[in-house]
Amino acid sequence: MPGILLIAFQILFAGGRDFDNKLRMFLDSKFAAYESYEYEIAEMPKNISGIEIDENREIRINKSYAYVPVKFFYSNSKPYLSFITLKVKLFKKVLVANQQIGKGGLLSSFQFDEIIKDAANIKGTPLDELGAALICKTNLKVGMVLIREYTEAAPDVEHNERLILHSGKNGVDVSLEVTSREKGKIGEVIRVVSSDKKKFKAKLIDKYNAVLID
C-alpha cells in the first residue's frame, strides 16, 4: 500500500529527491501487510554527500519507530553503515470489542467492530479476523483491541461429552461408550469414565472417538 509521506525536513544533498522516492518504495515493500502508513524522518546526520538504502540488512521496528539500514557517504571517504530513524504510524484493520467479554467465552464476530487503527503501539499481535473457533483467555472490556495473546483454540471435546473409546489388538476393535472428564484437543490425552464408573486415559483421534492409553 502506498504510504503517506510526512518528511520532517529536506535532505540537503544532491540526489535527495531520488532518495525520497527509493525510501518510499522500500517502505511500501516492508509495510505491505498494513492498510497504509505514515512516517517522518526523526534523525538524519548532517554534512553527508550521499545516502543509499542498504538492502542487505533488515529494517528494525520498535513500537512507533523504524530504523532503516543505510549507507552514508561523506566526501573522500568509504561508505559508513548506519540507520536513519523514522517515526511511523502503521495503520491496520483490527478487531475492537463492542461489549464486555468474559474469560473462557467463545469469541464471535458480532462481539467486535472492525476498525482501521495505528497498530505500532499495540502490545501483542492484533487480529483482523477470528478464523478458527477461539476462546478468550482474559476479560475484555469495551474498546479493547483483540490480540492473539488473549486467545486460545477452543477445545475439540468439552467436559462431560460422550465419546467412543476404542481398544483391541491384532485388528480387533473393541469399543465402549465413555464420558469425558475434561476438555481436550485432538491428539491430546484426557480422562474418561465408563457408565459403570471405570476410569481410563484416552487419546482423542477426532471429536467423537478416542483410543485407550494403556
Coordinates of all heavy atoms in Angstrom, one line a residue, residues 32-74:
A32 N 3.9 -3.8 3.5 CA 2.8 -4.2 2.6 C 1.6 -4.8 3.4 O 0.5 -4.9 2.9 CB 3.4 -5.2 1.6
A33 N 1.9 -5.4 4.6 CA 0.8 -6.0 5.3 C -0.2 -5.0 6.0 O -1.2 -5.4 6.5 CB 1.4 -6.9 6.4
Y34 N 0.2 -3.7 6.0 CA -0.6 -2.7 6.6 C -1.5 -2.0 5.5 O -1.2 -2.0 4.3 CB 0.2 -1.7 7.3 CG 1.0 -2.3 8.4 CD1 2.3 -2.7 8.2 CD2 0.5 -2.4 9.7 CE1 3.1 -3.3 9.3 CE2 1.2 -2.9 10.7 CZ 2.5 -3.4 10.5 OH 3.2 -3.9 11.6
E35 N -2.6 -1.5 6.0 CA -3.5 -0.8 5.1 C -2.9 0.5 4.6 O -3.0 0.8 3.4 CB -4.8 -0.4 5.9 CG -5.6 -1.5 6.4 CD -6.3 -2.4 5.3 OE1 -6.6 -1.8 4.3 OE2 -6.4 -3.6 5.5
S36 N -2.1 1.2 5.4 CA -1.4 2.3 5.0 C -0.4 2.7 6.1 O -0.4 2.0 7.2 CB -2.3 3.5 4.7 OG -3.0 3.9 5.9
Y37 N 0.5 3.6 5.9 CA 1.4 4.0 6.9 C 1.7 5.5 6.7 O 1.5 6.1 5.6 CB 2.7 3.2 6.9 CG 3.5 3.3 5.6 CD1 4.5 4.3 5.5 CD2 3.3 2.5 4.6 CE1 5.3 4.5 4.4 CE2 4.1 2.6 3.4 CZ 5.1 3.6 3.3 OH 5.8 3.7 2.2
E38 N 2.3 6.1 7.8 CA 2.8 7.5 7.7 C 4.2 7.4 8.3 O 4.4 6.6 9.2 CB 1.9 8.4 8.5 CG 0.5 8.6 7.9 CD -0.4 9.5 8.8 OE1 0.1 10.0 9.8 OE2 -1.6 9.7 8.4
Y39 N 5.0 8.3 7.9 CA 6.3 8.4 8.6 C 6.9 9.8 8.4 O 6.5 10.6 7.6 CB 7.3 7.4 7.9 CG 7.9 7.8 6.6 CD1 9.0 8.6 6.5 CD2 7.2 7.4 5.4 CE1 9.6 8.9 5.3 CE2 7.7 7.8 4.2 CZ 8.9 8.6 4.1 OH 9.4 8.9 2.9
E40 N 7.8 10.1 9.3 CA 8.6 11.3 9.2 C 10.0 11.0 9.7 O 10.2 10.1 10.5 CB 8.0 12.5 10.1 CG 7.9 12.2 11.6 CD 7.4 13.4 12.3 OE1 8.2 14.3 12.5 OE2 6.2 13.3 12.7
I41 N 11.0 11.6 9.1 CA 12.4 11.3 9.4 C 12.7 12.0 10.8 O 12.5 13.3 10.8 CB 13.3 11.8 8.3 CG1 13.1 11.0 7.0 CG2 14.8 11.6 8.8 CD1 13.9 11.5 5.9
A42 N 13.0 11.2 11.8 CA 13.2 11.8 13.1 C 14.7 12.2 13.3 O 15.0 13.0 14.1 CB 12.8 10.8 14.2
E43 N 15.6 11.5 12.6 CA 17.0 11.8 12.8 C 17.8 11.5 11.5 O 17.6 10.5 10.9 CB 17.5 10.9 13.9 CG 19.0 11.2 14.3 CD 19.4 10.3 15.5 OE1 18.5 9.7 16.1 OE2 20.6 10.3 15.8
M44 N 18.7 12.5 11.1 CA 19.5 12.3 9.9 C 20.8 13.1 10.2 O 20.8 14.2 10.7 CB 18.7 13.0 8.7 CG 19.6 13.0 7.5 SD 19.7 11.3 6.7 CE 18.1 11.1 6.0
P45 N 21.9 12.5 9.9 CA 23.2 13.2 10.1 C 23.4 14.3 9.1 O 22.8 14.4 8.1 CB 24.3 12.1 9.8 CG 23.6 11.1 8.9 CD 22.1 11.1 9.3
K46 N 24.2 15.2 9.5 CA 24.5 16.4 8.7 C 25.8 16.2 7.9 O 26.6 15.3 8.1 CB 24.6 17.7 9.6 CG 23.4 18.0 10.4 CD 23.6 19.2 11.3 CE 22.3 19.5 12.0 NZ 22.5 20.7 12.9
N47 N 25.9 17.1 6.9 CA 27.2 17.1 6.1 C 27.5 15.8 5.3 O 28.6 15.5 5.1 CB 28.4 17.5 7.0 CG 28.2 18.8 7.7 OD1 27.6 19.7 7.2 ND2 28.6 18.8 9.0
I48 N 26.4 15.1 4.9 CA 26.7 13.9 4.1 C 26.6 14.3 2.6 O 25.8 15.3 2.3 CB 25.7 12.8 4.4 CG1 24.2 13.3 4.2 CG2 25.9 12.3 5.8 CD1 23.2 12.2 4.4
S49 N 27.3 13.6 1.8 CA 27.3 13.9 0.4 C 26.3 13.0 -0.4 O 26.0 13.2 -1.5 CB 28.7 13.8 -0.2 OG 29.2 12.5 0.0
G50 N 25.9 11.9 0.3 CA 25.0 10.9 -0.4 C 24.5 9.9 0.6 O 25.1 9.7 1.7
I51 N 23.5 9.2 0.2 CA 22.9 8.1 1.1 C 22.2 7.1 0.2 O 21.6 7.4 -0.8 CB 21.9 8.8 2.1 CG1 21.3 7.7 3.0 CG2 20.8 9.5 1.3 CD1 20.4 8.3 4.1
E52 N 22.4 5.8 0.6 CA 21.7 4.7 -0.1 C 21.1 3.8 0.9 O 21.6 3.6 2.0 CB 22.8 3.9 -0.9 CG 23.3 4.6 -2.1 CD 24.3 3.7 -2.8 OE1 24.6 2.6 -2.4 OE2 24.9 4.2 -3.8
I53 N 20.0 3.2 0.6 CA 19.4 2.2 1.4 C 20.2 0.9 1.3 O 20.5 0.5 0.2 CB 17.9 1.9 1.0 CG1 17.1 3.2 1.3 CG2 17.3 0.7 1.8 CD1 15.7 3.2 0.8
D54 N 20.5 0.3 2.4 CA 21.3 -1.0 2.4 C 20.3 -2.2 2.4 O 19.8 -2.6 3.4 CB 22.2 -1.0 3.6 CG 23.1 -2.2 3.6 OD1 23.0 -3.0 2.7 OD2 24.0 -2.2 4.5
E55 N 20.1 -2.8 1.2 CA 19.2 -3.9 1.0 C 19.7 -5.2 1.7 O 18.9 -6.1 1.8 CB 19.0 -4.1 -0.5 CG 18.4 -2.9 -1.3 CD 16.9 -2.7 -1.1 OE1 16.3 -3.6 -0.4 OE2 16.4 -1.8 -1.6
N56 N 20.9 -5.2 2.1 CA 21.5 -6.4 2.7 C 21.2 -6.5 4.2 O 21.5 -7.6 4.8 CB 23.0 -6.5 2.4 CG 23.3 -6.7 1.0 OD1 22.7 -7.4 0.2 ND2 24.4 -6.0 0.5
R57 N 20.6 -5.5 4.7 CA 20.3 -5.5 6.1 C 18.8 -5.3 6.3 O 18.1 -4.7 5.4 CB 21.1 -4.5 6.9 CG 22.6 -4.8 7.0 CD 23.3 -3.8 7.9 NE 23.3 -2.5 7.2 CZ 23.4 -1.3 7.9 NH1 23.3 -1.3 9.2 NH2 23.4 -0.2 7.2
E58 N 18.2 -5.7 7.4 CA 16.8 -5.6 7.6 C 16.4 -4.4 8.4 O 17.2 -3.9 9.2 CB 16.3 -6.9 8.4 CG 16.2 -8.1 7.6 CD 15.2 -8.1 6.5 OE1 14.1 -7.5 6.6 OE2 15.6 -8.6 5.4
I59 N 15.2 -3.9 8.1 CA 14.7 -2.8 8.8 C 14.3 -3.2 10.2 O 14.0 -4.4 10.4 CB 13.4 -2.2 8.1 CG1 12.9 -0.9 8.8 CG2 12.3 -3.3 8.1 CD1 11.8 -0.3 8.0
R60 N 14.5 -2.4 11.2 CA 14.1 -2.7 12.6 C 13.0 -1.8 13.0 O 12.9 -0.6 12.7 CB 15.3 -2.4 13.5 CG 16.6 -3.2 13.2 CD 17.7 -2.8 14.1 NE 19.0 -3.5 13.8 CZ 20.1 -3.2 14.4 NH1 20.2 -2.3 15.3 NH2 21.2 -3.9 14.0
I61 N 12.0 -2.4 13.7 CA 10.8 -1.7 14.1 C 10.7 -1.9 15.6 O 10.7 -3.0 16.1 CB 9.6 -2.2 13.4 CG1 9.7 -2.1 11.9 CG2 8.3 -1.5 13.9 CD1 8.6 -2.7 11.1
N62 N 10.5 -0.8 16.3 CA 10.3 -0.8 17.8 C 9.2 0.2 18.1 O 9.4 1.4 18.1 CB 11.6 -0.4 18.5 CG 11.4 -0.5 20.0 OD1 10.4 -1.0 20.5 ND2 12.4 0.0 20.7
K63 N 8.0 -0.4 18.2 CA 6.8 0.4 18.5 C 6.6 1.5 17.4 O 6.4 1.1 16.3 CB 6.9 1.0 19.9 CG 6.9 0.0 21.0 CD 6.9 0.6 22.4 CE 6.9 -0.5 23.5 NZ 6.9 0.1 24.8
S64 N 6.7 2.7 17.7 CA 6.4 3.8 16.7 C 7.6 4.3 16.0 O 7.6 5.4 15.4 CB 5.6 4.9 17.4 OG 6.4 5.5 18.5
Y65 N 8.7 3.5 16.1 CA 10.0 3.9 15.5 C 10.4 2.8 14.5 O 10.3 1.6 14.9 CB 11.1 4.3 16.5 CG 10.8 5.6 17.2 CD1 10.1 5.6 18.4 CD2 11.2 6.8 16.6 CE1 9.9 6.8 19.0 CE2 11.0 8.0 17.3 CZ 10.3 8.0 18.5 OH 10.0 9.2 19.1
A66 N 10.9 3.2 13.4 CA 11.5 2.3 12.4 C 12.9 2.7 12.1 O 13.2 3.9 12.0 CB 10.7 2.2 11.2
Y67 N 13.8 1.8 12.0 CA 15.2 2.1 11.8 C 15.6 1.5 10.4 O 15.7 0.3 10.3 CB 16.1 1.6 12.9 CG 15.7 2.1 14.3 CD1 14.7 1.4 15.1 CD2 16.1 3.3 14.7 CE1 14.3 1.9 16.3 CE2 15.7 3.8 15.9 CZ 14.8 3.1 16.7 OH 14.4 3.6 17.9
V68 N 15.8 2.3 9.4 CA 16.1 1.9 8.1 C 17.6 1.8 7.9 O 18.4 2.8 8.1 CB 15.5 2.9 7.1 CG1 15.9 2.5 5.6 CG2 14.0 3.0 7.2
P69 N 18.1 0.6 7.4 CA 19.6 0.4 7.2 C 20.0 1.2 6.0 O 19.4 1.2 4.9 CB 19.7 -1.1 7.0 CG 18.4 -1.5 6.4 CD 17.4 -0.6 7.1
V70 N 21.1 2.0 6.1 CA 21.5 2.8 5.0 C 23.1 2.8 5.0 O 23.7 2.4 5.9 CB 21.1 4.3 5.2 CG1 19.5 4.4 5.1 CG2 21.5 4.9 6.5
K71 N 23.6 3.4 3.9 CA 25.0 3.7 3.7 C 25.1 5.2 3.6 O 24.5 5.8 2.7 CB 25.6 3.0 2.5 CG 25.6 1.5 2.6 CD 26.1 0.9 1.3 CE 26.0 -0.6 1.3 NZ 26.6 -1.2 0.0
F72 N 25.9 5.8 4.5 CA 26.1 7.3 4.3 C 27.4 7.5 3.6 O 28.4 6.7 3.8 CB 26.2 7.9 5.7 CG 24.9 8.0 6.5 CD1 24.9 7.6 7.8 CD2 23.8 8.5 5.9 CE1 23.7 7.6 8.5 CE2 22.6 8.6 6.6 CZ 22.5 8.2 7.9
F73 N 27.5 8.5 2.8 CA 28.7 8.9 2.0 C 29.1 10.3 2.4 O 28.3 11.2 2.5 CB 28.4 8.8 0.5 CG 28.1 7.4 0.0 CD1 26.8 6.9 0.0 CD2 29.1 6.6 -0.4 CE1 26.5 5.7 -0.5 CE2 28.9 5.3 -0.9 CZ 27.6 4.9 -0.9
Y74 N 30.4 10.4 2.8 CA 31.0 11.7 3.1 C 32.0 11.9 2.0 O 32.5 11.0 1.4 CB 31.6 11.7 4.5 CG 30.6 11.5 5.6 CD1 30.3 10.2 6.1 CD2 30.0 12.6 6.2 CE1 29.3 10.1 7.1 CE2 29.1 12.5 7.2 CZ 28.8 11.2 7.7 OH 27.8 11.0 8.7

